[in-house]
């Protein structure tokens, strides 16, 4: 095994075993806070000396969650509730629940009722986030979140703690952005499966540790000579794309992920928190700066398609694969604009249905093989 | 003279229909004059545009009308041909199809010059209106009302929303070319309050046994609360409606022409394309609807700006589970229902998303029969009549058994 492979195996081990990570933290006497998607200011949790862990569902079928949701809700939210009802989350000291889409709204209520033993920190982000009044509202709700965290941890969190956390998180985001670039340049060294594991593992790790490992990997990748890639390159877009069986199809067909517009991946680390004397304001401004996301109001109306086109161009990709999360209406709503823009820019686009329940990606395999051929002809 | 008398006696139902027609007629006239015409979500603070004299149409109302006239499937399919997934709310699909130029004789309205979006009822609204703004390259005025987790609205929400109201006023002053007149605003608010009170009063007649009305009538009359709540004539029409119901109570008449063996709450919005099918087994079994959630949801009364903001925070789908349950249980008790028929509306994720938990609470708190069925407010492809009939029969049987002392 090369040094790169050893490091990748470590990332994979963590990404595939969140439960083990959780047990480890609990055994060390640390408190863990679960975080629903999207845009939870994890810095506050880190500053309070607790461990934030991402809750993005897991592979499988909802069973107990059916007591709360009709079938037409995304598997991300259904499987989070399923985990909660199965007792997988009982060791958490709290869960932050957001509300940016129409599924998260009722989910927050279902989760609160179903998990009444665990404090739920409710976080209703603003859509009019950019004007000063939006920033101030975000500050107010972040401050409330901090108060709840302080109650859980039983101590006050200082501005200094938060500033330090912001530094740690900005460094981590920076490292992830670099990694995405490096992985795009070295598909021969980083498979799609491994790329996903490296990014996913950060949801289950203390960020400074993730950064340390990732910086090491980045250094090794940067030192590796660029090799010619005998395959195609794509930009992926969607909510989440972490199923190794699916990603392996990309690898089998030599389709490299050159960049991504995936909520679970790059959308979550595109923007750093800028420095401000008041660290709560830094975090609020960071949220205000978020853009090009299907779940966020876009005052400029059309920034996402052009962002994705830029991603394609800047990463030398030949096409876009849209992983359409089943029953995700924000993503569905923004698909026609994206599709039309890509068509106009003559960028091939393939839409594939995706969710946590799919075990057989046979149909996706056939479409991806055909898509790879289309892309290779573009070369 | 005689004519005037006759006119005064116009049935409230007609008065109400004429008001909605007038809203659209005025929008067409404004368009012809070259004035800007807006499209607004149903719970955008209508008081603002009304004060500025701007003419506004209501896509949700249009979509409901199209669906009721059986154009829903065609329009939804048109939207799907543009790439909009059939998972998306049917109202949004119909509206996007219309905005994109789909022919629609069922309920045409002028295309928009500006958009008024308030996402208190759902987040779907945000992207729906953004898409239309993109298609037409027109301004979008966005009022964001964050979802609530408690019955009380937090002060930071009020501050945030108040700033957005002020912003919206500024944007609309530019669009209308007029200054916002606070005196007129006051009068408009008075009208809105009077309409809300009259609407609530009319709805309250469902409490009589037998009820002087079929609760489904209220779904139709709701169009006025959505499209014209700031107008004096709307208040007058609802007052007339309430007076008619009062007269019916005294005369022992009703717009429900069947037996009233049982009384239910119909949870959610009806499946507009299937009104006949919805109605059939209910009338056959003598089950009248005497409670609908839109009564409290649109009957909001306020005395000042802060209260008005709080009122707009209380939309279906923006309130927490407990408030949602309270609203419903309140009207179920007042209107003495024996059962609840829950529409699992495929179009409305925020609404249907907590229905299973609500069902449990209704059973526990009210001890009434509760049965659900799958449907859709606008897309007939999501409704199966056979399932619906079976579920209504099930509801009837439980109500019978409860009446006879069973569980
Ligand atoms: S944005 Fe989509 S995937 Fe995410 S919670 Fe909402 S519906 Fe589910
Ligand atoms: S039906 Fe539901 S999702 Fe559709 S517009 Fe109304 S509130 Fe929104």
């Amino acid at each position: 095994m090369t040094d790169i492979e050893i490091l990748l195996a470590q990332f994979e081990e963590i990404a595939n075993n969140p439960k083990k990570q959780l047990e480890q933290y609990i055994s060390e006497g640390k408190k863990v806070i679960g975080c629903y998607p999207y845009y939870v200011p994890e810095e506050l949790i880190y500053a309070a000396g607790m461990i934030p862990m991402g809750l993005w569902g897991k592979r499988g079928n909802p069973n107990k969650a059916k007591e709360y949701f009709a079938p037409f809700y995304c598997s991300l939210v259904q499987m989070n509730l399923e985990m909660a009802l199965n007792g997988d989350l009982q060791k958490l000291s709290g869960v932050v629940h957001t509300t940016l889409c129409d599924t998260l709204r009722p989910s927050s209520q279902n989760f609160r009722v179903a998990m009444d033993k665990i404090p739920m920190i409710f976080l209703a982000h603003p859509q009019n986030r950019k004007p000063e009044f939006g920033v101030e509202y975000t500050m107010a709700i972040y401050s409330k979140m901090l108060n709840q965290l302080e109650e859980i941890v039983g101590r006050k969190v200082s501005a200094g703690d938060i500033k330090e956390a912001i530094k740690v998180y900005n460094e981590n985001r920076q490292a992830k952005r670099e990694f995405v670039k490096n992985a795009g340049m070295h598909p021969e060294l980083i498979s799609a499966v491994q790329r996903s594991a490296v990014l996913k593992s950060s949801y289950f790790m203390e960020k400074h540790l993730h950064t340390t490992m990732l910086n090491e990997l980045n250094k090794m990748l940067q030192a590796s000579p660029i090799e010619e890639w005998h395959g195609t390159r794509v930009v992926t877009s969607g909510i989440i794309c972490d199923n190794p069986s699916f990603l392996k199809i990309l690898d089998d067909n030599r389709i490299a992920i050159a960049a991504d517009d995936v909520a679970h991946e790059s959308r979550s680390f595109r923007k750093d928190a800028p420095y401000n004397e008041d660290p709560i304001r830094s975090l609020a401004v960071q949220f205000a700066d978020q853009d090009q996301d299907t779940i966020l109001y876009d005052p400029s109306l059309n920034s996402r398609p052009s962002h994705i086109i830029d991603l394609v161009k800047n990463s030398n990709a030949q096409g876009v694969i849209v992983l359409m999360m089943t029953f995700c209406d924000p993503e569905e709503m923004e698909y026609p604009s994206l599709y039309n823009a890509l068509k106009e820019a003559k960028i091939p686009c393939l839409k594939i249905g995706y969710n946590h329940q799919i075990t057989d990606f046979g149909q996706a395999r056939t479409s991806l093989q055909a898509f790879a051929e289309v892309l290779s002809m573009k070369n | 003279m005689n004519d005037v008398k006759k006119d005064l006696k116009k049935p409230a139902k007609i008065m109400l229909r004429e008001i909605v027609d007038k809203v659209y007629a005025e929008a067409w006239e404004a368009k012809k004059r070259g004035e800007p015409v807006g499209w607004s979500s149903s719970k955008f603070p209508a008081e603002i545009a009304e004060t500025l004299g701007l003419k506004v149409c209501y896509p949700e109302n249009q979509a409901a009308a199209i669906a009721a006239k059986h154009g829903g499937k065609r329009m939804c399919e048109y939207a799907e041909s543009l790439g909009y997934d059939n998972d998306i709310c049917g109202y949004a699909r119909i509206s996007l199809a219309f905005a994109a130029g789909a022919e629609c004789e069922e309920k045409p309205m002028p295309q928009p010059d500006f958009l008024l979006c308030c996402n208190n009822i759902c987040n779907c609204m945000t992207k729906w209106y953004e898409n239309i703004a993109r298609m037409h390259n027109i301004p979008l005025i966005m009022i964001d009302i964050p979802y609530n987790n408690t019955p009380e609205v937090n002060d930071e929400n009020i501050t945030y929303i108040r700033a957005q109201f002020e912003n919206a006023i500024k944007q609309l002053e530019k669009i209308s070319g007029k200054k916002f007149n606070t005196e007129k605003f006051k009068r408009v608010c008075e009208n809105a309050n009077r309409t809300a009170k009259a609407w609530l009063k009319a709805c309250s007649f469902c409490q009589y046994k037998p009820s002087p009305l079929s609760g489904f009538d209220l779904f139709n009359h709701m169009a006025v609360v959505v499209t014209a709540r700031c107008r004096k004539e709307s208040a007058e029409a609802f007052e007339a409606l309430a007076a008619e119901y009062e007269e019916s109570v005294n005369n022992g008449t009703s717009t429900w022409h069947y037996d009233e063996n049982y009384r239910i709450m119909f949870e959610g919005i009806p499946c507009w394309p299937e009104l006949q099918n919805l109605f059939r087994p209910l009338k056959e079994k003598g089950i009248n609807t005497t409670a609908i959630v839109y009564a409290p949801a649109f009957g909001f009364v306020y005395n000042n700006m802060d209260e008005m903001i709080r009122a707009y925070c209380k939309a279906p789908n923006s309130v927490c589970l407990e408030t949602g349950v309270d609203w419903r249980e309140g009207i179920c008790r007042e209107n003495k229902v024996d059962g609840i028929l829950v529409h699992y509306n495929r179009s409305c994720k925020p609404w249907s998303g907590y229905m299973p938990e609500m069902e449990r609470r209704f059973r526990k708190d009210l001890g009434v029969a509760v049965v659900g069925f799958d449907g859709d407010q606008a897309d007939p492809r999501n409704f199966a009549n056979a399932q619906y009939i079976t579920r209504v029969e099930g509801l009837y049987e439980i109500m019978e058994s409860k009446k006879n002392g069973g569980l």
Side-chain angles (χ1 to χ4, degrees):
Chain A
M1 259 190 168
T2 63
D3 288 351
I4 290 182
E5 283 166 347
I6 293 169
L7 210 45
L8 287 171
Q10 287 170 10
F11 281 116
E12 279 186 279
E13 168 69 16
I14 296 167
N16 295 332
N17 296 292
K19 236 181 177 166
K20 199 169 141 199
Q21 289 292 108
L22 174 63
E23 296 295 340
Q24 175 74 25
Y25 297 132
I26 301 295
S27 73
E28 289 166 8
K30 290 179 178 151
K31 289 193 166 166
V32 179
I33 303 287
C35 299
Y36 265 71
Y38 304 86
Y39 302 116
V40 170
E42 285 189 16
E43 289 86 340
L44 298 179
I45 303 169
Y46 185 95
M50 296 190 279
I51 316 276
M53 282 184 86
L55 296 173
W56 291 71
K58 68 165 188 178
R59 287 193 292 284
N61 291 306
N63 181 21
K64 293 182 181 151
K66 285 188 195 152
E67 295 284 313
Y68 288 87
F69 281 115
F72 49 88
Y73 291 83
C74 72
S75 58
L76 191 159
V77 151
Q78 298 242 27
M79 290 312 289
N80 270 355
L81 191 59
E82 188 71 17
M83 286 194 280
L85 294 167
N86 280 335
D88 296 348
L89 309 183
Q90 66 192 6
K91 293 194 175 140
L92 300 182
S93 298
V95 166
V96 187
H97 203 305
T98 58
T99 63
L100 277 165
C101 77
D102 284 342
T103 296
L104 287 166
R105 284 190 192 201
S107 167
S108 67
Q109 305 303 284
N110 289 335
F111 190 87
R112 172 161 61 76
V113 170
M115 290 297 288
D116 55 353
K117 303 251 168 356
I118 295 180
M120 186 185 89
I121 300 169
F122 176 83
L123 196 63
H125 283 102
Q127 289 288 7
N128 260 325
R129 60 201 180 280
K130 291 177 186 293
E132 175 58 21
F133 57 75
V135 172
E136 280 170 17
Y137 169 79
T138 309
M139 289 173 68
I141 59 164
Y142 282 6
S143 300
K144 273 198 175 163
M145 173 178 162
L146 182 63
N147 291 343
Q148 283 173 280
L149 292 168
E150 287 173 335
E151 243 170 64
I152 293 170
V153 78
R155 71 168 174 86
K156 280 271 162 219
V157 177
S158 71
D161 293 335
I162 305 173
K163 282 183 187 165
E164 178 54 30
I166 289 175
K167 199 171 144 257
V168 168
Y169 269 73
N170 278 348
E171 280 167 9
N172 186 250
R173 284 185 278 262
Q174 171 67 25
K176 284 192 263 197
R177 290 194 295 266
E178 251 168 56
F179 168 72
V180 164
K181 258 193 223 146
N182 291 333
M185 283 196 281
H186 291 286
E188 77 290 352
L189 295 176
I190 308 281
S191 70
V193 175
Q194 290 162 331
R195 178 187 182 280
S196 160
V198 168
L199 296 173
K200 185 176 175 179
S201 62
S202 90
Y203 284 100
F204 312 134
M205 289 179 76
E206 289 181 89
K207 289 297 172 295
H208 58 280
L209 297 179
H210 188 256
T211 309
T212 309
M213 273 171 73
L214 195 49
N215 281 344
E216 205 181 318
L217 179 62
N218 278 334
K219 225 190 280 160
M220 289 193 259
L221 289 174
Q222 274 151 9
S224 308
I226 305 274
E227 282 177 26
E228 200 185 335
W229 174 243
H230 299 287
T232 55
R233 298 161 61 78
V234 296
V235 168
T236 48
S237 174
I239 294 290
I240 186 167
C241 175
D242 66 339
N243 189 320
S245 313
F246 174 79
L247 293 164
K248 193 159 177 304
I249 303 173
L250 299 186
D251 291 332
D252 291 347
N253 288 284
R254 302 190 70 74
I255 302 172
I257 300 177
D260 78 86
D261 162 56
V262 171
H264 186 239
E265 300 177 358
S266 289
R267 280 188 213 167
S268 72
F269 50 79
R270 281 203 288 240
K271 292 279 177 334
D272 286 337
Y275 179 79
N276 191 288
E277 201 33 52
D278 178 352
I280 298 280
R281 180 169 278 275
S282 302
L283 294 172
V285 171
Q286 180 201 17
F287 178 65
D289 289 345
Q290 300 291 356
D291 268 314
Q292 298 123 9
D293 193 336
T294 54
I295 55 158
L296 296 177
Y297 166 52
D298 177 6
S300 75
L301 296 178
N302 226 347
S303 67
R304 179 168 171 258
S306 44
H307 166 71
I308 295 176
I309 290 171
D310 285 349
L311 275 184
V312 171
K313 289 185 180 152
N314 298 339
S315 65
N316 283 324
Q318 293 124 341
V320 174
I321 298 178
V322 175
L323 287 315
M324 184 55 75
M325 177 62 111
T326 319
F327 303 130
C328 175
D329 50 303
E331 287 276 307
E332 291 161 353
M333 211 50 156
E334 289 302 36
Y335 178 69
S337 297
L338 175 60
Y339 174 83
N340 290 333
L342 290 173
K343 197 169 158 198
E344 203 170 301
K346 299 198 167 52
I347 297 171
C349 168
L350 174 69
K351 180 169 85 160
I352 294 180
Y354 188 89
N355 61 57
H356 284 318
Q357 283 154 269
I358 304 177
T359 46
D360 175 11
F361 284 99
Q363 223 182 329
R365 179 181 294 276
T366 316
S367 330
L368 283 165
Q369 279 163 349
F371 193 58
E373 268 172 44
V374 172
L375 296 187
S376 61
M377 285 189 291
K378 264 202 102 197
N379 264 340
Chain B
M1 192 64 196
N2 263 349
D3 275 0
V4 175
K5 241 189 185 164
K6 235 193 266 161
D7 205 43
L8 279 176
K9 281 226 169 118
K10 202 185 267 181
K13 188 166 103 178
I14 308 287
M15 288 166 75
L16 288 162
R17 194 181 307 145
E18 284 177 357
I19 292 171
V20 181
D21 290 346
K22 197 171 148 201
V23 167
Y24 288 92
E26 285 179 3
W28 280 114
E29 283 158 21
K31 190 82 179 179
K32 271 189 216 131
R33 287 195 301 270
E35 287 171 24
V37 171
W39 281 10
S40 170
S41 58
S42 61
K43 283 205 92 177
F44 187 94
E47 291 83 346
I48 300 176
E50 184 73 22
T51 302
L52 287 163
L54 285 162
K55 300 299 174 220
V56 171
C57 300
Y58 293 84
E60 289 153 81
N61 172 257
Q62 181 200 31
I66 292 172
K69 289 182 183 161
H70 304 290
K73 179 165 173 270
R74 188 189 77 249
M75 295 294 273
C76 284
E77 282 172 349
Y78 187 98
E80 287 154 30
S81 75
L82 301 174
Y84 293 101
D85 199 286
N86 65 9
D87 174 51
I88 295 169
C89 163
Y91 278 7
R93 271 179 290 153
I94 290 175
S95 175
L96 287 161
F98 181 72
E103 294 273 325
C104 141
E105 276 168 18
E106 292 89 350
K107 179 103 185 159
M109 63 186 197
Q111 291 292 346
D113 301 298
F114 64 95
L115 298 167
L116 305 177
C117 177
C118 181
N119 63 2
N120 43 5
I121 51 171
C122 63
N123 276 314
C124 161
M125 212 42 97
T126 313
K127 288 291 158 187
W128 161 7
Y129 276 57
E130 250 182 57
N131 268 269
I132 295 176
R134 230 173 264 160
M135 283 178 196
H136 288 263
N137 195 19
I138 52 174
L140 165 59
I141 288 111
M142 172 78 196
I143 292 187
D144 169 48
I145 303 224
Y147 183 68
N148 287 291
N149 186 42
T150 51
E152 311 75 44
V153 181
N154 296 324
D155 290 343
E156 65 266 20
N157 293 43
I158 303 295
T159 312
Y160 169 54
I161 298 162
R162 177 189 272 276
Q164 295 182 75
F165 275 32
E166 283 161 9
N167 226 20
I169 291 172
K170 272 189 220 133
Q171 287 169 287
L172 286 172
E173 278 183 334
K174 251 192 228 152
I175 289 171
S176 66
K178 289 186 192 146
K179 228 39 245 111
F180 192 78
N181 178 328
T182 42
E183 278 310 307
K184 185 165 179 207
F185 179 63
K186 241 192 196 162
R187 284 199 303 279
V188 166
C189 291
E190 275 162 19
N191 289 341
N193 273 301
R194 192 175 147 197
T195 303
K197 283 183 196 157
W199 159 252
L200 280 175
K201 181 158 186 214
C203 294
S204 75
F205 281 92
C206 282
Q207 66 187 279
Y208 288 93
K209 255 185 157 176
S211 165
L213 65 145
S214 156
F216 267 64
D217 294 352
L218 297 173
F219 286 125
N220 292 321
H221 302 331
M222 208 178 83
V224 175
V225 202
V226 169
T227 63
R229 58 184 172 273
C230 303
R231 296 176 181 219
K232 194 161 141 239
E233 61 258 42
S234 305
E236 288 167 351
F238 281 123
E239 283 159 6
L241 185 70
E244 281 180 12
Y245 290 154
E246 194 164 0
E247 207 177 313
S248 293
V249 170
N250 294 334
N251 300 340
T253 54
S254 175
T255 62
W256 175 253
H257 301 298
Y258 315 95
D259 291 339
E260 193 178 278
N261 301 329
Y262 292 104
R263 299 154 63 91
I264 58 163
M265 173 169 83
F266 188 94
E267 169 64 60
I269 195 103
C271 316
W272 293 114
E274 307 291 344
L275 282 179
Q276 301 290 342
N277 283 331
L278 289 187
F279 228 59
R280 199 171 299 118
L282 296 177
K283 68 186 186 200
E284 279 169 9
K285 299 213 168 318
I287 303 173
N288 191 11
T289 299
T290 59
I292 64 163
V293 187
Y294 288 99
F298 269 103
F300 51 91
V301 177
Y302 53 84
N303 295 306
N304 54 46
M305 188 58 137
D306 272 13
E307 283 183 22
M308 176 175 156
I309 293 169
R310 277 178 210 278
Y312 276 103
C313 291
K314 302 239 158 169
N317 312 334
S318 70
V319 297
C320 67
L321 178 75
E322 289 72 14
T323 301
V325 169
D326 265 8
W327 277 359
R328 289 158 170 96
E329 292 187 350
I331 53 170
C332 282
R333 288 195 178 102
E334 269 160 38
N335 301 318
K336 305 167 193 77
V337 308
D338 310 292
I340 296 172
L341 187 56
V342 177
H343 175 197
Y344 279 86
N345 182 353
R346 186 61 187 75
S347 265
C348 195
K349 289 201 174 83
W351 193 304
S352 303
Y354 40 36
M355 271 307 133
E357 176 59 18
M358 280 209 192
E359 278 199 28
R360 283 189 282 276
R361 296 195 177 201
F362 297 154
R363 281 194 197 96
K364 184 167 154 272
D365 300 346
L366 303 170
V368 298
V370 186
V371 164
F373 73 95
D374 302 316
D376 194 296
Q377 64 197 26
D379 187 340
R381 292 168 294 179
N382 294 324
F383 175 82
N385 198 29
Q387 187 217 45
Y388 175 72
I389 292 171
T390 317
R391 300 292 166 89
V392 173
E393 277 168 2
L395 180 69
Y396 180 77
E397 275 163 28
I398 308 171
M399 290 191 293
E400 281 270 287
S401 142
K402 281 187 185 278
K403 187 157 102 185
N404 298 328
L407 281 175

